[in-house]
Amino acid sequence: FEQAGSSFNLFAQRFTDRSIDGTGFIFDWLREKVGDTFPASWFQSVNAFFVITLAPFFAAAWVRLGARNLDPSSPVKFAMGVIFLGLGFGVMALAAELVVMGENVLPYWLIMTYLLHTMGELCLSPVGLSLVTRLAPRNFTAQMMGLFFMFSSMGNLLAGLVAGHLGGEDIAGMPWMFTQMMLVFCGAGAVLIAMRKHLLRWMGGVR
């Protein structure tokens, strides 16, 4: 997920068509302000936009499913989050294939990736925070929350190491790198789903 500020940003800068080609007042105003191409950094606002837009729908969906006793358990929501992450990398693998063929891709590829990753974030992040507070021993809730964020920081560290390869000059290898990440995360999601009953038992029935 943390590739957004590193390798995805490099992909936006080097391999994405950021031309402002439309006509009308808004496009004329944009060209006046930023020139014929918009900055790659603008893609960093896409995740925040999707979080604000989609969070109410996800919250409402969990409530409605819960009212019908169909609410997925926390392990399944975690699995959904990781699978959405993998699917996002699948989109990037297809976009990278076009880059290898010598094309700059349209912004929609990155936007679709950010959409899938945000959906994964909404399945995992709030659920994880809630689960920590419910599962942690009462006297250790703060420490467990600290561990939750410590592992997030470790994820950021790993993201930086991975980005060093994905953001390199090996254009021909990009599709396979993104494909590997898709396979790893979709596979991890499948494992979580397969283990959901065991995980629920270890969690003492807390869903």
Side-chain angles (χ1 to χ4, degrees), residues 3 8 13 25 37 46-47 65 85 101 114 120 145 147 161 184 186 195-196:
Q3 299 302 312
F8 288 180
Q13 184 178 42
F25 170 77
T37 59
V46 174
N47 169 247
L65 289 171
L85 183 70
M101 289 167 24
Y114 284 125
M145 290 297 293
L147 282 174
L161 296 174
V184 166
C186 288
M195 292 182 62
R196 65 190 184 280

Side-chain angles (χ1 to χ4, degrees), residues 61-73 207:
W62 301 144
V63 170
R64 289 192 177 186
L65 289 171
R68 300 178 183 179
N69 204 27
L70 296 173
D71 186 25
S73 63
R207 292 179 59 84

Side-chain angles (χ1 to χ4, degrees), residues 71-82:
D71 186 25
S73 63
S74 296
V76 172
K77 289 177 182 175
F78 276 34
M80 291 168 60
V82 178

Side-chain angles (χ1 to χ4, degrees), residues 5-60:
S6 50
S7 61
F8 288 180
N9 218 28
L10 291 173
F11 190 93
Q13 184 178 42
R14 298 173 179 174
F15 309 119
T16 302
D17 182 3
R18 294 175 282 113
S19 303
I20 303 174
D21 296 327
T23 57
F25 170 77
I26 294 178
F27 293 101
D28 292 340
W29 179 81
L30 283 174
R31 278 190 288 268
E32 180 182 341
K33 294 296 182 182
V34 300
D36 293 331
T37 59
F38 63 87
S41 59
W42 282 16
F43 283 102
Q44 296 304 298
S45 64
V46 174
N47 169 247
F49 171 79
F50 282 139
V51 166
I52 294 170
T53 304
L54 297 178
F57 293 98
F58 271 76

